[in-house]
Amino acid sequence: MSVLPPIVDAGYQKSAPSDKRSNEPEDEDKKTFQERGDKSEIYSSKGEDIDEESKLYQQELDNDMPKPIYSKSKRKRGNKVAPKVISSVPDLKNSSSIRKRKETELDEENTRIFELHEDNEGYPSNYIKTTKYNIFTFVPVSLLVQFFRIANIYFLIICILTLIPTISTLTPLTAILPLVFVLLVSMIREGIEDYYRYKSDKKSNGKKVLVLNEHNKFENLSSRDLKVGDIVLIHSEDTFPADIVMLKSSNGPNAFIQTSSLDGEKNLKKRYVPKGLDEFTKPVDEQAYFLGGTCTTLMPDKDLHDFTGKLEVNNVTYSLSIEQLMLKDSKLKNTNWIIGTVAFTGRDTKVMLNSTKSRIKISSLEKQLNNVIVFLFFLQILICALLSMIMTIYDDVKDDNQDYYLGNGHSNEDPFLNFFSFFLLMSTLIPISLIVTLEVLKVVQCYFITQDAQMFDVEAGAGTKVSSTTINEELGQVTYIFSDKTGTLTQNIMEFRSLLCGKETYGQIGKPGATRKLSNVEKKKELETNFKSRKLNRVLSEPKEESKDPLVIYSTNGNTKMELCSETEKVQELIKLLSVCHDCEAEEAVVDDKNIKFYQGASPDEITLVDFARDHGFEFDEANDKAIYTSINPESGLTDAPVKKEYKIHKKIPFTSDRARMSVLITDPDDGQYKLYIKGADSKIKALLDPKQKDPDAMQKLEQFLNKASSQGLRTLLMACRVLDPEEFDKIQSDLREAEADVVNAKERVAEISEEYEKGVVLLGATCVEDKLQENVCETLEDFRRANIKVWMLTGDKLETAKNIGFSCKLLTKEMFIFQAQGAEEAKEVFTEQRVKDNQDLMKQGKPRAIVFDSGALGHLFANPQSLQYFISIAKSCNAVVLSRASPAQKADIVTLISKDDPNNITLSIGDGANDVPMISVADVGIGIFGKEGVNAAQAADFAIHQFKYIWDLVLYHGRFNYIRNSELILYFFYKNVIFTIPQVYFAFISDFSAQTIFDDWYISFYNLFFTSMPIMLRSIFETDIDWQVWNRNHKQDAEDHRVTKREIIRNLTPRLYYIGNRKTIFTYKNYAIWLCISITHSIIAFFGTLFCYQNAIFNESGKTPDLWSYSVCMFFSVILGVSIRLMITQRLHNVFNILSISLLSIMLYYTYSWVSNLTSFSKTYLTSEQLHTSPLFYLTIFLCAGLICILDLFQQSILVNLVGSPSEYMRKVANNHKDFSEGWELEFNRLMRIKEQKYTLQDIKHENIIAKKRAQRMADLQHKLANRKK
């Protein structure tokens, strides 16, 4: 149960305003920090200033960030009370705890200053807004968004023209109603999506936070009302509502936070109260006092790992760094409560600075569709202009007596007006129902995605969530996948695999131990110990037998030694090291009325090692700055009953990414010796080994152990020990005290001394740990490789960790040549022109390649355009890329970089934490995982799944089919509208260019909305290029003989057939031109075939000849039958349902309407159908026109399937023709695939050359801008 701080009972007495806070003159507070540098502890930002190149390139990459929302509210404060003077407070001005950073100083130009517990105006409010609209902007803005589609603009123009009687021969309502319907459907969808974002924002902004009020009592306020300088109380397991500087903790000097929602790391991070400040806030006479102060920080930035500032309280200055900052959206762990002051709010917080503005995503298919619409628009203008010109010429040369029945010429003698009359007649060239059909189709496709049983997660009890219905087909065109690591590829559950002690190995690296059943608490803590070794248990349990190869560790001067004479003693010493040398914290939970101990620590693998030590008798209990306490249990082989041990800590050097190791100097209570325990990366520990005490045989065993673990992508650590003579120990202690007394250079000097005394250690052994991958990760990544999708792993973890996981999931292999760059200096050497040539040579040799680099190297690339160009040239040809230590903004920058380099690239980002939201937002397709790090990623994503393996079905199955279906739907829509519209052009030559329509107004409107839209939409919902049900039925016996399931067949073939969308092979300008030619041919058949039959015909026995509307209805029927026949011939999935949809929802629907219009007097076809059906000529005409169209379609389709050929068409033939597995269908399929791959490889080379030239020009322009700016 949480213990509240004393302030809740007594209240803090606040400080008075700055002019009353001390006896010093007021202008003293206005002095610059440089003037007071000798009295203050001053921290500066790490690293060099961002140069002009970096700034400019960042401007090139970033989208416009939303402007901060500034708070206008003023919270009323009470009277300020001057602080009491506490005589017991020590003078810390000259204390060694007050250190100075030498690199740079805080100055007034780059800092922000605020008073604690005061109204600080001018800072952003803490209100968070991710919605696109509000109640006032929804209608105008969403309506504007709809007109991003060129088709909607076009139809708006048509609606306006129909309202002009002089040029319109159509009823305005027939044009307005379809457009209104299309816009309403799209706006409703947009509104529903934004409403869910609004609900998420409301929940976040309404979260209650305990804030200190003017009466020095904590009260609940909404998160949105927080202001800079507020004093807040945060309890355990609560998330931080803003960036907060910690002032007091229930743990005393420290607290623990979890930042998994920010950087993906689930390990706990330690945060500290400013050293010395705790003296001011300790209870005195059962009361707690809070002395008002001033906080100064650098301006807000995106760096999650850096923060610089200072806190001034009672004229004493305390330095602030990232160790005092609690980041927004991180969670307080293993600490009952903390008190802090709000430093950054809203858009100034680091997590929000790393976020990106939500953008409206338009699929590449829609962009291409817009281009085709533009082409048709200009084609329409050209045709109308030609008809208008011909009409003018025709009027000039014709005989006036020929048109006496028209009065004095045409109704529109003005060519300009006649142009717009023709323009209205040709408006159906662009199908208005295409937009609404696509909208409805995508909604249905999304429904199928959410209902797919293959993507239903049994444990979560839910399926896939779809947040955006506009980019379904993008899933079928992906070229790059950018994936987070922790929680996305891995489960973040470590499994201990093997232990090397001396020359003996315990456990098998390639085989996990038996899995034990986890308790609910263990599942909650996501820790699992699977390791079981009979050999290790026997060594620990049996009596000690003297080893043939004892290990003796001598001190440097040779005066002291530690003898490990048996294998048992070696193992016990190694496990003792694991229980002592770590940064874990013990946590207890009650399960089934029993206290169970668990650990939280700096990394999951460190927790696993401590768990391993506990399971083998060395149980870690607790630790503080002075000692480590453990329990030696019977499992250790040392005792029959639990025994408590205290290891006095003399110095602990924590793990850092640069050191790649940690060490602890202790006094061992068992033998009273001074020992230095150290563990770390193999490369670091090997360099520290004492060459005089190396055992060649043990080192050979170690290399074998490491190589075997590396081949399987497992994580390894080496453990070593050094024994110190009392004389050596005293010397080290003396040196450390002297170094710590150096106020200015303490940190550097302590690091140097630690580096020195860590040398000369003796190897004890090594451990091997596996970061368990999610189910089917390796297989999924392999299928993406076969589908020609490149996968980049972007993670916030250390480089070595990221690299190990890359090997574990087979993203990296030992056969690969790896370009590795850690830091800016290595990046300068790796990404050069010579390395580009080396990469090309490796490509020619067929050598697989990969890049592994970190955020430091990435920073260099963004600051140097030439190096960035070399990087892109290498990276785009590599099989895999791994980026470590990446901030959320850097992840987004990488995705943006690849997207902008080549517009044909379709990028997909997938992650499970809030740190992944930026890259999810900027990618063409964003996928979030409902992970253990929260739902931020899932809420921001276009699609949300529960496990990484489901991306296979989402991309390779649904995505591929959606691309095929939507692309063919668009082509078919243009085809059916051209065959319907072009007869208006033919008729113009017959109607004396009068702009008379050949079809009834309602026939024109209903043709797209009803008569021809439903069958193609239903086909697009169920269409498959390979009918797996037919395959399964025809090859059932073959599958049984070969033990192959339908699912395995699909999984084997689908990745290789992904090229259809990946290469954008269906909706291309070439295919559109083919369909356009076919539609013009069919329109000629329908128009002139009907004209040929009706021109000089007698309608019936009474001698009645056909009129215009008889001809119109007959031709319209031919068009309906023609487009229906083509739909049936080109579709691949033939069943009763499809036939009925075409028959009932197209042909019969039109036939029914023709009789309805026959009975309505306002229709131009009044009584026409009745006359037509009495004439045999009507049936003969329809049969001839539809039959000729059918013959041409069958001929064209036969050429396409049998002569042109494609892997997918071949597989469809195999499925339908009952072809046996043994007949070599795979050989033929592979042959066709090789032909395709060779063709696309040549295309890629040409395309990349074009892109490289554009890239070089872009970089040259950027450098030119930089040169001008410097001038």
Side-chain angles (χ1 to χ4, degrees):
M1 186 173 180
S2 300
V3 180
L4 292 176
I7 189 171
V8 174
D9 300 323
Y12 279 131
Q13 294 191 10
K14 275 188 45 57
S15 64
S18 58
D19 56 351
K20 299 179 181 180
R21 192 165 53 244
S22 69
N23 295 326
E24 296 180 4
E26 181 180 350
D27 56 352
E28 173 66 20
D29 287 337
K30 299 181 180 179
K31 289 183 179 180
T32 62
F33 301 130
Q34 289 87 343
E35 293 172 337
R36 296 189 292 168
D38 57 331
K39 296 183 180 180
S40 307
E41 177 184 9
I42 299 172
Y43 267 38
S44 67
S45 62
K46 293 190 287 187
E48 301 176 354
D49 292 337
I50 299 175
D51 56 22
E52 290 294 322
E53 292 184 354
S54 179
K55 290 179 181 178
L56 183 57
Y57 193 80
Q58 193 64 36
Q59 293 171 6
E60 295 283 333
L61 281 179
D62 288 343
N63 295 325
D64 292 332
M65 290 294 293
K67 293 183 179 180
I69 304 172
Y70 289 94
S71 174
K72 297 182 179 179
S73 62
K74 293 185 179 181
R75 190 153 59 248
K76 184 178 179 180
R77 302 291 192 187
N79 296 327
K80 312 300 188 296
V81 180
K84 290 185 178 181
V85 178
I86 304 176
S87 59
S88 62
V89 175
D91 181 10
L92 298 178
K93 289 185 180 180
N94 298 317
S95 171
S96 63
S97 67
I98 310 239
R99 298 166 298 170
K100 182 185 292 182
R101 221 176 197 169
K102 297 187 300 180
E103 295 93 333
T104 60
E105 294 185 343
L106 295 174
D107 56 61
E108 292 181 347
E109 293 183 358
N110 66 347
T111 59
R112 61 207 294 273
I113 304 173
F114 61 89
E115 299 288 332
L116 276 61
H117 201 22
E118 296 280 356
D119 281 323
N120 297 281
E121 298 297 332
Y123 297 109
S125 102
N126 206 43
Y127 181 80
I128 302 300
K129 179 178 181 294
T130 61
T131 55
K132 299 177 184 177
Y133 317 106
N134 58 41
I135 192 170
F136 301 107
T137 63
F138 172 69
V139 173
V141 176
S142 63
L143 191 61
L144 180 64
V145 168
Q146 303 312 314
F147 288 104
F148 285 172
R149 292 192 175 106
I150 296 178
N152 287 341
I153 298 176
Y154 171 82
F155 289 113
L156 178 63
I157 296 172
I158 295 298
C159 289
I160 295 172
L161 291 178
T162 57
L163 297 173
I164 306 174
T166 309
I167 61 175
S168 176
T169 59
L170 303 174
T171 305
L173 199 61
T174 59
I176 294 173
L177 285 180
L179 178 62
V180 171
F181 177 71
V182 168
L183 295 178
L184 279 177
V185 171
S186 300
M187 289 174 65
I188 290 172
R189 178 187 55 77
E190 285 277 345
I192 292 173
E193 291 180 2
D194 208 55
Y195 174 70
Y196 286 109
R197 284 190 285 268
Y198 163 75
K199 288 177 65 177
S200 176
D201 288 348
K202 185 177 179 181
K203 181 179 179 181
S204 176
N205 291 318
K207 181 182 176 183
K208 297 301 181 182
V209 183
L210 287 170
V211 181
L212 192 67
N213 61 19
E214 61 270 20
H215 304 296
N216 289 338
K217 296 292 183 181
F218 283 106
E219 65 174 342
N220 274 316
L221 291 179
S222 296
S223 173
R224 60 175 172 265
D225 295 326
L226 279 183
K227 299 179 70 175
V228 171
D230 280 347
I231 306 299
V232 297
L233 171 65
I234 306 296
H235 287 101
S236 180
E237 298 297 324
D238 285 347
T239 55
F240 293 95
D243 288 351
I244 294 171
V245 173
M246 182 168 65
L247 302 175
K248 189 173 180 64
S249 169
S250 62
N251 288 2
N254 58 49
F256 293 90
I257 63 171
Q258 188 180 71
T259 60
S260 59
S261 63
L262 304 179
D263 55 19
E265 296 185 21
K266 296 186 73 65
N267 51 284
L268 298 187
K269 294 181 174 61
K270 232 177 204 181
R271 291 293 185 260
Y272 299 91
V273 174
K275 195 169 183 181
L277 180 65
D278 191 56
E279 299 293 333
F280 290 111
T281 56
K282 283 184 179 179
V284 178
D285 297 329
E286 299 184 354
Q287 288 192 355
Y289 295 84
F290 175 77
L291 290 83
T294 301
C295 186
T296 306
T297 70
L298 288 176
M299 299 303 290
D301 60 55
K302 298 180 179 181
D303 194 343
L304 294 174
H305 307 289
D306 187 42
F307 169 69
T308 302
K310 67 175 184 176
L311 182 67
E312 292 182 271
V313 177
N314 199 32
N315 300 321
V316 179
T317 302
Y318 304 89
S319 66
L320 300 178
S321 67
I322 193 63
E323 292 184 339
Q324 282 76 46
L325 189 66
M326 309 298 211
L327 298 175
K328 175 181 170 62
D329 289 342
S330 59
K331 183 181 290 187
L332 186 65
K333 304 283 287 187
N334 286 15
T335 308
N336 290 332
W337 53 262
I338 67 104
I339 294 174
T341 182
V342 176
F344 301 110
T345 53
R347 287 293 173 183
D348 278 355
T349 59
K350 289 183 179 290
V351 66
M352 294 306 295
L353 287 172
N354 275 280
S355 67
T356 54
K357 185 179 180 180
S358 59
R359 65 187 183 96
I360 299 169
K361 295 184 179 181
I362 301 176
S363 69
S364 59
L365 199 67
E366 284 197 36
K367 294 175 184 176
Q368 199 171 358
L369 171 61
N370 288 340
N371 294 336
V372 173
I373 290 175
V374 170
F375 164 75
L376 287 176
F377 177 73
F378 285 107
L379 178 63
Q380 181 181 354
I381 291 177
L382 177 62
I383 293 173
C384 295
L386 289 174
L387 289 175
S388 183
M389 289 172 60
I390 294 173
M391 180 213 70
T392 303
I393 298 172
Y394 180 74
D395 279 349
D396 291 340
V397 300
K398 72 176 181 176
D399 185 358
D400 291 340
N401 294 329
Q402 288 180 325
D403 60 351
Y404 66 92
Y405 52 86
L406 294 176
N408 296 322
H410 292 295
S411 59
N412 287 337
E413 294 182 351
D414 187 345
F416 180 76
L417 295 178
N418 209 60
F419 168 85
F420 282 105
S421 296
F422 281 118
F423 192 84
L424 286 175
L425 286 182
M426 298 290 294
S427 64
T428 53
L429 198 62
I430 299 173
I432 187 172
S433 61
L434 171 59
I435 304 301
V436 70
T437 303
L438 268 177
E439 293 279 354
V440 174
L441 173 62
K442 289 181 178 182
V443 170
V444 175
Q445 289 172 345
C446 289
Y447 173 77
F448 284 153
I449 290 174
T450 61
Q451 299 301 309
D452 189 346
Q454 294 291 341
M455 293 191 290
F456 183 85
D457 190 76
V458 177
E459 183 177 346
T464 301
K465 173 191 172 186
V466 178
S467 300
S468 177
T469 61
T470 60
I471 55 174
N472 298 353
E473 65 274 4
E474 296 286 79
L475 290 167
Q477 305 173 76
V478 175
T479 51
Y480 286 88
I481 291 179
F482 299 90
S483 175
D484 178 40
K485 178 190 73 70
T486 308
T488 302
L489 298 178
T490 69
Q491 301 180 44
N492 206 34
I493 297 177
M494 299 297 172
E495 180 179 335
F496 194 97
R497 282 297 190 91
S498 185
L499 174 73
L500 173 69
C501 185
K503 300 175 186 177
E504 296 294 326
T505 303
Y506 303 92
Q508 299 181 30
I509 291 178
K511 182 180 179 182
T515 302
R516 63 182 174 84
K517 187 176 180 181
L518 302 179
S519 68
N520 292 333
V521 175
E522 287 177 302
K523 291 179 180 178
K524 172 190 169 187
K525 297 302 175 185
E526 299 148 28
L527 301 174
E528 182 173 351
T529 302
N530 293 336
F531 182 79
K532 298 291 180 183
S533 171
R534 293 180 181 177
K535 180 180 178 182
L536 180 60
N537 293 336
R538 185 172 62 251
V539 168
L540 290 174
S541 61
E542 292 181 353
K544 299 177 183 178
E545 296 181 2
E546 188 169 338
S547 173
K548 298 178 181 180
D549 187 20
L551 176 64
V552 182
I553 302 176
Y554 291 91
S555 62
T556 304
N557 58 18
N559 296 334
T560 303
K561 66 178 180 180
M562 176 178 65
E563 294 183 279
L564 304 175
C565 299
S566 66
E567 292 300 323
T568 301
E569 290 177 341
K570 294 179 186 178
V571 171
Q572 288 170 342
E573 189 68 21
L574 177 55
I575 300 178
K576 183 196 297 182
L577 182 151
L578 296 178
S579 69
V580 172
C581 186
H582 59 80
D583 277 323
C584 291
E585 293 288 333
E587 177 183 351
E588 288 192 356
V590 178
V591 178
D592 298 330
D593 298 327
K594 295 180 181 179
N595 288 331
I596 299 179
K597 186 178 295 180
F598 301 95
Y599 301 113
Q600 295 279 9
S603 65
D605 46 350
E606 186 168 69
I607 298 172
T608 302
L609 297 180
V610 178
D611 271 341
F612 170 80
R614 178 195 60 189
D615 292 342
H616 292 84
F618 293 80
E619 181 176 2
F620 167 67
D621 292 329
E622 60 177 319
N624 53 42
D625 294 339
K626 297 180 180 180
I628 296 174
Y629 302 92
T630 66
S631 296
I632 308 301
N633 297 322
E635 293 86 353
S636 65
L638 293 174
T639 179
D640 295 330
V643 177
K644 299 290 184 181
K645 296 283 184 177
E646 177 184 347
Y647 298 85
K648 185 177 180 181
I649 298 176
H650 302 288
K651 188 64 181 176
K652 179 186 285 189
I653 308 297
F655 179 94
T656 65
S657 56
D658 293 331
R659 284 170 40 80
R661 64 185 184 276
M662 79 160 293
S663 62
V664 59
L665 180 58
I666 63 163
T667 298
D668 191 335
D670 294 327
D671 52 22
Q673 290 184 332
Y674 299 114
K675 295 180 182 179
L676 172 72
Y677 285 148
I678 185 171
K679 69 177 181 182
D682 57 306
S683 60
K684 297 293 184 180
I685 302 300
K686 286 179 185 178
L688 298 173
L689 294 178
D690 186 350
K692 298 179 182 179
Q693 301 190 63
K694 277 186 182 179
D695 184 340
D697 294 336
M699 295 304 295
Q700 183 178 0
K701 286 283 186 181
L702 174 66
E703 290 301 323
Q704 294 174 357
F705 181 87
L706 295 176
N707 290 335
K708 191 171 183 180
S710 176
S711 66
Q712 299 188 31
L714 305 180
R715 303 162 73 136
T716 56
L717 284 177
L718 268 58
M719 288 75 191
C721 175
R722 177 185 174 188
V723 177
L724 285 83
D725 181 83
E727 182 181 339
E728 294 174 333
F729 174 78
D730 292 339
K731 177 67 168 58
I732 291 174
Q733 288 291 85
S734 175
D735 290 344
L736 286 173
R737 282 194 296 269
E738 182 181 345
E740 290 172 348
D742 186 343
V743 176
V744 176
N745 301 310
K747 185 177 181 180
E748 292 79 2
R749 290 190 58 185
V750 168
E752 291 173 3
I753 295 171
S754 302
E755 182 87 18
E756 188 62 31
Y757 78 69
E758 286 177 340
K759 294 178 181 178
V761 296
V762 177
L763 181 70
L764 290 180
T767 59
C768 175
V769 175
E770 178 188 11
D771 188 355
K772 297 184 68 175
L773 297 173
Q774 291 193 23
E775 187 179 355
N776 291 340
V777 165
C778 297
E779 295 82 354
T780 301
L781 293 179
E782 172 62 20
D783 283 344
F784 284 150
R785 185 192 63 78
R786 294 171 62 219
N788 197 35
I789 300 174
K790 296 179 180 179
V791 181
W792 291 29
M793 185 171 73
L794 314 179
T795 177
D797 272 350
K798 302 184 294 291
L799 187 139
E800 287 300 324
T801 303
K803 192 174 177 180
N804 286 336
I805 295 301
F807 280 106
S808 297
C809 65
K810 304 299 188 293
L811 187 63
L812 302 176
T813 62
K814 60 182 180 179
E815 293 82 14
M816 284 182 173
F817 180 88
I818 297 178
F819 297 91
Q820 182 166 321
Q822 189 169 8
E825 292 302 320
E826 291 188 13
K828 293 177 184 178
E829 300 175 1
V830 172
F831 303 116
T832 62
E833 185 175 3
Q834 180 58 44
R835 290 304 183 97
V836 173
K837 295 178 181 178
D838 295 342
N839 180 60
Q840 292 173 348
D841 293 338
L842 292 170
M843 287 177 62
K844 295 176 183 178
Q845 299 170 15
K847 179 79 173 177
R849 302 158 317 285
I851 293 178
V852 178
F853 67 122
D854 66 359
S855 59
L858 181 63
H860 166 76
L861 296 177
F862 282 153
N864 297 272
Q866 190 61 54
S867 297
L868 183 65
Q869 184 177 347
Y870 296 143
F871 165 75
I872 297 174
S873 299
I874 298 173
K876 290 185 68 175
S877 65
C878 283
N879 302 78
V881 175
V882 175
L883 171 63
S884 66
R885 284 299 182 192
S887 69
Q890 287 175 323
K891 291 182 179 182
D893 288 344
I894 281 288
V895 177
T896 303
L897 179 68
I898 297 301
S899 295
K900 287 189 174 182
D901 184 67
D902 185 357
N904 288 334
N905 290 335
I906 302 298
T907 57
L908 181 150
S909 294
I910 178 170
D912 70 324
N915 60 312
D916 303 313
V917 170
M919 75 170 181
I920 287 174
S921 300
V922 300
D924 296 305
V925 181
I927 298 180
I929 294 181
F930 289 102
K932 301 181 177 79
E933 300 177 9
V935 296
N936 302 71
Q939 289 176 340
D942 305 302
F943 303 89
I945 56 181
H946 291 271
Q947 293 187 51
F948 183 82
K949 66 178 181 179
Y950 299 139
I951 194 177
W952 193 99
D953 298 271
L954 197 59
V955 172
L956 298 181
Y957 188 79
H958 289 283
R960 178 175 173 274
F961 281 143
N962 289 344
Y963 170 76
I964 293 173
R965 293 161 178 170
N966 296 0
S967 297
E968 292 183 345
L969 176 137
I970 293 172
L971 287 174
Y972 179 80
F973 255 91
F974 283 124
Y975 155 79
K976 72 183 184 65
N977 273 52
V978 170
I979 190 179
F980 172 66
T981 304
I982 292 299
Q984 299 278 16
V985 178
Y986 308 147
F987 187 67
F989 289 87
I990 298 176
S991 64
D992 205 16
F993 302 100
S994 61
Q996 166 67 43
T997 176
I998 195 174
F999 299 120
D1000 177 70
D1001 295 0
W1002 292 104
Y1003 272 54
I1004 294 174
S1005 295
F1006 292 163
Y1007 176 81
N1008 275 313
L1009 287 179
F1010 302 116
F1011 299 154
T1012 58
S1013 60
M1014 291 302 295
I1016 180 60
M1017 187 174 73
L1018 292 174
R1019 167 194 160 168
S1020 299
I1021 292 174
F1022 302 107
E1023 174 73 331
T1024 60
D1025 56 344
I1026 300 174
D1027 188 352
W1028 298 110
Q1029 292 182 349
V1030 172
W1031 177 293
N1032 202 43
R1033 183 173 62 251
N1034 292 343
H1035 298 277
K1036 183 176 181 181
Q1037 186 60 45
D1038 300 324
E1040 291 176 355
D1041 294 341
H1042 292 77
R1043 297 182 180 179
V1044 178
T1045 65
K1046 170 187 171 183
R1047 188 69 182 167
E1048 290 172 337
I1049 296 171
I1050 296 175
R1051 189 161 192 115
N1052 182 48
L1053 296 179
T1054 298
R1056 302 190 67 183
L1057 294 176
Y1058 190 75
Y1059 77 90
I1060 294 173
N1062 190 281
R1063 300 288 183 173
K1064 302 177 176 61
T1065 61
I1066 298 179
F1067 187 40
T1068 62
Y1069 297 123
K1070 176 183 175 182
N1071 284 347
Y1072 174 74
I1074 293 174
W1075 279 74
L1076 181 62
C1077 293
I1078 293 172
S1079 62
I1080 293 174
T1081 303
H1082 289 182
S1083 68
I1084 291 173
I1085 293 173
F1087 182 86
F1088 291 102
T1090 307
L1091 181 65
F1092 174 78
C1093 294
Y1094 273 60
Q1095 190 170 18
N1096 299 311
I1098 298 175
F1099 212 56
N1100 50 35
E1101 296 177 354
S1102 62
K1104 182 177 177 60
T1105 58
D1107 60 4
L1108 171 63
W1109 301 114
S1110 299
Y1111 171 75
S1112 170
V1113 172
C1114 183
M1115 184 180 65
F1116 195 91
F1117 213 135
S1118 299
V1119 170
I1120 292 291
L1121 287 176
V1123 297
S1124 299
I1125 289 170
R1126 179 158 184 82
L1127 182 63
M1128 284 191 287
I1129 290 176
T1130 55
Q1131 72 182 14
R1132 302 175 184 86
L1133 182 63
H1134 296 281
N1135 53 38
V1136 175
F1137 180 78
N1138 285 336
I1139 295 174
L1140 289 177
S1141 68
I1142 294 173
S1143 303
L1144 299 178
L1145 299 179
S1146 181
I1147 298 174
M1148 290 303 299
L1149 184 62
Y1150 163 68
Y1151 186 75
T1152 303
Y1153 176 77
S1154 67
W1155 280 101
V1156 173
S1157 63
N1158 178 76
L1159 302 176
T1160 53
S1161 57
F1162 63 84
S1163 172
K1164 296 175 182 177
T1165 60
Y1166 179 59
L1167 299 180
T1168 301
S1169 294
E1170 184 179 345
Q1171 297 176 4
L1172 280 175
H1173 284 77
T1174 62
S1175 172
L1177 183 62
F1178 169 70
Y1179 302 101
L1180 176 63
T1181 303
I1182 291 175
F1183 176 78
L1184 291 176
C1185 293
L1188 187 55
I1189 289 174
C1190 179
I1191 292 172
L1192 290 177
D1193 280 345
L1194 288 173
F1195 179 71
Q1196 183 256 342
Q1197 197 69 14
S1198 177
I1199 293 176
L1200 180 65
V1201 173
N1202 297 310
L1203 297 182
V1204 177
S1206 70
S1208 59
E1209 290 292 344
Y1210 175 75
M1211 293 311 301
R1212 188 158 67 95
K1213 287 168 58 179
V1214 172
N1216 294 331
N1217 294 341
H1218 302 260
K1219 198 165 187 177
D1220 190 83
F1221 281 3
S1222 61
E1223 293 182 14
W1225 66 269
E1226 289 180 292
L1227 295 176
E1228 178 63 15
F1229 175 78
N1230 291 333
R1231 185 188 70 82
L1232 292 173
M1233 282 301 306
R1234 282 194 298 270
I1235 294 173
K1236 286 287 183 184
E1237 289 167 356
Q1238 291 171 1
K1239 171 186 173 183
Y1240 291 133
T1241 300
L1242 295 175
Q1243 290 180 359
D1244 286 344
I1245 293 173
K1246 294 179 181 178
H1247 181 71
E1248 183 56 33
N1249 289 335
I1250 296 172
I1251 294 298
K1253 291 179 182 179
K1254 292 180 179 179
R1255 186 189 306 132
Q1257 183 60 47
R1258 191 166 60 250
M1259 295 301 174
D1261 293 342
L1262 182 59
Q1263 289 178 335
H1264 181 67
K1265 291 179 183 178
L1266 291 171
N1268 290 338
R1269 177 173 292 188
K1270 289 177 180 178
K1271 290 180 181 179

